[in-house]
Amino acid sequence: YHRRVFFFFFFFFAPLFSQMDPLARLAQQFTLTDATLVSIAEHMAREMERGLANAPSSLRMFPSYLYTRPTGKESGPFIAIDLGGTNLRLVKCDLDAGKVVGTFQHKQAIPEAIMQGTATQLFDFIAQAAREFFKQNHIEGVPHVGFTFSFPVKQSGLATGTLQNWTKGFSASGCVGQDVVGLLQAALHRSGVQATVDALVNDTVGTLVARVFEDPACIAGLIVGTGSNIAVWEPISTIRTVSLDQISPTAKEMIINTEWGDFDKACAVLPITPYDRAVDQASPNPGHYRFEKLISGMYLGELARHILLHLMYCDVFPELSRLRQPNTLPAASVAAIAEDSTFGLSGVRSIIEALGGNPMGTDLHRMQRVCRLVICRAAKLVAAGLFCVVRRGANDMHDVSIAVDGSVFEMVPLFRSELQSSLSRLLGHPIVRLTLTKDGSGKGAALVASLATKSRL
């Protein structure tokens, strides 16, 4: 009898209970304990060590070949060309005695047709923009250029590097496997631009260098924007991916580009949900950059959209026809929803109405709850990564600085506060300075060019 009652309950009533509070189940999936974060950090440390040892690892730990810190004597004008995401930036940076005394920059959007076209189209677009920038700013002679290229590149020197694969929606043909400095230098020549590309710099490396000029205690450069990555100082003695004849015998450390967006591609420790799998499968590179897809601005909007679609299916959220189309809920909207503190959540209401809905009060709070869960999980995952980095790289736990750039960190207060509090808690409450290094990737590339020119690295 009791067995019959159990099966009757299970088959007829359990499905009803499973649909009673899908938001509670969602919160359970997206709420990460400190123990989980520590486990992620420990796995990341092991992957870093394997990558540095040239063993199989999800962290490629690319050497930057930059092992010179500022001396305080760097002077002159230097140029940065920054290809980091959906925008191209050109920066003129004037140095005097190691100090930035003036900058001027220009930014323009990169058309999708160029991002997904050919190598010639992409690099000619960059070269033509550089030609106009030099002309408008009366840059004469043969300027020294640092090239920030924020994609996975395996460098074999400070001014040479082979593109491993595209990310962030780029897919221009004829680039993978090629030296991107050579492609840029050839395009500059075709456009009649007299310039020398002295350094190839990942945006994280540039952000780190830009901060080191002002704060020698800076141990890492973090980007959390369209994509995510981090660069760190590593002792030369730990790096097995370069031969000693490629570096100065006096070098003691080198900046390493971790490419942490691809961390744990096997998903051994990352908290992957069905929504994350849906985002991954719809991305340009399924199965790759799983960590980046949990934390970066390019994917947070799609992640929230897939969650809301599930809630619509469960009949606990109103039908929003436009939400069924990909990329209709950008990360900026997710942030605005999460941060909305207006009376009656009027900001959330306007976003839902723009998506074709007529929300009730409970709908507003549910949508905000979803967006806050997505952002807070992202912040905690970044905190786990920084916990790993600080434990490995900080000599003095009471004087630690990390340079940070990117729209998610800059524009989303909830993300910043959750990141800082989670990191402090994991470390036992010492304060790590997370310093916004605005446009550090542009200035940093120019500063690296100054170091390369001065020391002939």
Side-chain angles (χ1 to χ4, degrees):
Y1 170 77
H2 291 292
R3 181 175 296 180
R4 289 197 302 271
V5 170
F6 171 79
F7 282 111
F8 179 81
F9 175 88
F10 182 82
F11 286 110
F12 290 95
F13 289 96
L16 298 178
F17 277 91
S18 69
Q19 296 181 21
M20 284 180 64
D21 195 359
L23 270 177
R25 295 200 312 278
L26 182 69
Q28 188 177 36
Q29 289 175 302
F30 276 73
T31 300
L32 306 180
T33 65
D34 286 352
T36 297
L37 299 181
V38 169
S39 176
I40 291 170
E42 291 174 344
H43 189 64
M44 180 176 284
R46 290 191 293 270
E47 289 293 276
M48 283 185 172
E49 291 166 4
R50 291 177 62 82
L52 289 168
N54 207 20
S57 172
S58 61
L59 294 177
R60 282 176 274 189
M61 306 298 283
F62 290 138
S64 69
Y65 292 87
L66 179 62
Y67 42 81
T68 301
R69 287 179 180 256
T71 63
K73 299 180 181 180
E74 296 79 15
S75 297
F78 297 91
I79 308 299
I81 297 176
D82 181 7
L83 182 68
T86 55
N87 291 307
L88 172 70
R89 292 191 308 126
L90 297 107
V91 182
K92 178 176 178 285
C93 187
D94 294 312
L95 294 177
D96 183 26
K99 302 292 184 183
V100 178
V101 295
T103 59
F104 181 82
Q105 60 180 289
H106 169 74
K107 180 165 61 175
Q108 67 186 87
I110 305 173
E112 186 174 336
I114 296 294
M115 294 168 60
Q116 300 176 1
T118 66
T120 300
Q121 291 172 326
L122 175 60
F123 283 91
D124 281 354
F125 175 84
I126 297 170
Q128 290 161 16
R131 182 180 62 188
E132 291 301 312
F133 183 77
F134 290 179
K135 180 179 178 181
Q136 292 172 5
N137 290 278
H138 309 290
I139 298 171
E140 300 176 347
V142 183
H144 296 281
V145 175
F147 181 28
T148 300
F149 188 76
S150 307
F151 302 91
V153 168
K154 186 174 184 179
Q155 289 186 236
S156 53
L158 186 58
T160 182
T162 303
L163 176 64
Q164 302 298 292
N165 57 272
W166 282 118
T167 58
K168 306 177 190 176
F170 279 74
S171 59
S173 62
C175 298
V176 174
Q178 300 298 312
D179 175 16
V180 294
V181 173
L183 292 174
L184 175 59
Q185 198 74 69
L188 291 171
H189 179 74
R190 287 195 298 271
S191 296
V193 177
Q194 298 294 317
T196 301
V197 182
D198 293 294
L200 175 63
V201 185
N202 181 271
D203 57 352
T204 54
V205 175
T207 298
L208 173 53
V209 170
R211 187 62 193 161
V212 165
F213 262 77
E214 301 178 17
D215 182 2
C218 185
I219 66 168
L222 169 68
I223 301 290
V224 191
T226 303
S228 185
N229 191 15
I230 196 167
V232 298
W233 288 104
E234 283 286 342
I236 292 294
S237 60
T238 67
I239 304 171
R240 297 289 183 267
T241 53
V242 295
S243 59
L244 293 179
D245 60 358
Q246 293 179 285
I247 57 178
S248 168
T250 61
K252 296 181 179 179
E253 59 186 351
M254 181 187 293
I255 297 178
I256 296 292
N257 164 23
T258 68
E259 285 298 327
W260 87 350
D262 209 19
F263 166 61
D264 192 27
K265 65 175 65 178
C267 301
V269 295
L270 290 180
I272 302 298
T273 70
Y275 316 107
D276 299 305
R277 294 188 188 95
V279 169
D280 175 58
Q281 288 302 310
S283 72
N285 53 352
H288 298 279
Y289 284 77
R290 303 300 296 272
F291 188 53
E292 182 173 83
K293 290 169 185 174
L294 303 180
I295 62 178
S296 72
M298 184 170 183
Y299 300 101
L300 294 182
E302 278 298 275
L303 179 56
R305 187 181 72 87
H306 278 285
I307 294 171
L308 292 170
L309 286 176
H310 175 70
L311 296 181
M312 287 164 49
Y313 175 80
C314 293
D315 292 327
V316 296
F317 196 73
E319 173 67 31
L320 303 179
S321 56
R322 296 177 190 173
L323 208 59
R324 296 189 178 279
Q325 298 300 316
N327 303 311
T328 48
L329 187 66
S333 295
V334 173
I337 292 166
E339 301 282 355
D340 188 14
S341 59
T342 59
F343 179 77
L345 297 180
S346 60
V348 181
R349 180 179 295 277
S350 64
I351 291 174
I352 293 180
E353 289 175 346
L355 291 169
N358 183 24
M360 299 171 57
T362 54
D363 301 326
L364 305 178
H365 289 283
R366 284 171 177 166
M367 191 173 199
Q368 184 173 66
R369 176 65 170 151
V370 166
C371 293
R372 291 180 68 87
L373 284 170
V374 167
I375 289 172
C376 288
R377 187 189 68 163
K380 286 186 175 183
L381 288 169
V382 174
L386 293 186
F387 178 50
C388 166
V389 167
V390 172
R391 288 205 302 181
R392 282 178 54 82
N395 294 320
D396 181 359
M397 292 295 289
H398 298 287
D399 186 22
V400 183
S401 170
I402 295 175
V404 191
D405 196 7
S407 56
V408 175
F409 180 82
E410 180 184 4
M411 305 301 293
V412 188
L414 175 62
F415 179 90
R416 287 198 307 274
S417 62
E418 186 66 38
L419 170 58
Q420 186 74 73
S421 63
S422 296
L423 178 58
S424 179
R425 191 174 61 253
L426 290 170
L427 288 169
H429 299 287
I431 299 300
V432 175
R433 299 191 304 278
L434 302 179
T435 305
L436 178 63
T437 307
K438 183 100 172 113
D439 295 331
S441 59
K443 287 192 299 182
L447 297 174
V448 173
S450 76
L451 297 177
T453 304
K454 186 176 185 301
S455 58
R456 296 287 187 253
L457 293 178

